[in-house]
C-alpha cells in the first residue's frame, strides 16, 4: 500500500491561510486589534511561537471562536509532532496488564 505522508500544518499556517488571508487581515492589523505586538503575531505566522493561553483568549475574542479551539489546535499539532519523533520508542512500550 502506498501511503502518502501529509505533514502536520503549523499553527502559523492555519492562522494565516484559514483566518488572515481569507478575511484580508494583515498581521499588523491583527496585532493592533487584539492589543499585542506586531512581532508576536509575526512570530506566530512564521511558526516561531506557539499559541499561549493569553493569545488563545485574544484570538478567540477577535475571530469569534472559542479559546479551546486555539489551545486544542496547538496541543494536537504538538502531539502529532511528538508522536512522529517518538514513534520507535512508543512502539516498544507494552500495554499494562494486571496479571497475577
Amino acid at each position: 500500500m502506498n501511503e502518502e505522508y501529509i505533514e502536520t500544518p503549523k499553527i502559523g499556517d492555519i492562522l494565516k491561510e484559514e483566518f488572515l488571508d481569507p478575511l484580508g487581515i494583515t498581521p499588523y492589523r491583527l496585532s493592533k486589534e487584539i492589543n499585542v505586538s506586531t512581532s508576536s503575531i509575526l512570530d506566530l505566522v512564521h511558526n516561531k511561537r506557539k499559541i499561549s493561553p493569553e493569545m488563545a483568549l485574544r484570538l478567540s475574542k477577535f475571530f469569534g471562536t472559542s479559546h479551546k479551539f486555539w489551545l486544542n489546535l496547538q496541543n494536537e499539532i504538538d502531539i502529532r509532532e511528538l508522536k512522529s519523533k517518538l514513534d520507535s520508542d512508543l512502539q516498544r512500550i507494552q500495554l499494562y496488564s494486571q496479571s497475577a
Side-chain angles (χ1 to χ4, degrees), residues 9-97:
K10 305 284 190 228
I11 197 75
D13 302 329
I14 294 168
L15 177 60
K16 184 175 184 331
E17 294 173 18
E18 301 295 327
F19 290 90
L20 298 181
D21 289 350
L23 297 172
I25 300 170
T26 64
Y28 175 79
R29 177 176 171 210
L30 178 60
S31 71
K32 297 307 171 204
E33 295 283 348
I34 66 172
N35 199 29
V36 299
S37 69
T38 304
S39 64
S40 294
I41 299 301
L42 288 172
D43 283 351
L44 276 174
V45 169
H46 294 114
N47 299 305
K48 295 179 181 177
R49 180 181 294 216
K50 294 181 178 190
I51 297 287
S52 66
E54 178 183 342
M55 187 63 76
L57 287 170
R58 292 174 184 275
L59 292 173
S60 68
K61 178 75 174 175
F62 183 75
F63 289 117
T65 61
S66 74
H67 64 278
K68 290 179 182 180
F69 168 81
W70 295 102
L71 292 174
N72 288 341
L73 188 58
Q74 184 65 66
N75 284 337
E76 183 63 27
I77 290 167
D78 292 345
I79 291 293
R80 286 182 184 193
E81 289 176 354
L82 277 172
K83 276 178 77 174
S84 177
K85 289 178 186 175
L86 299 175
D87 187 49
S88 61
D89 282 346
L90 293 174
Q91 287 184 20
R92 290 192 292 250
I93 297 174
Q94 298 292 319
L95 176 65
Y96 172 76
S97 67

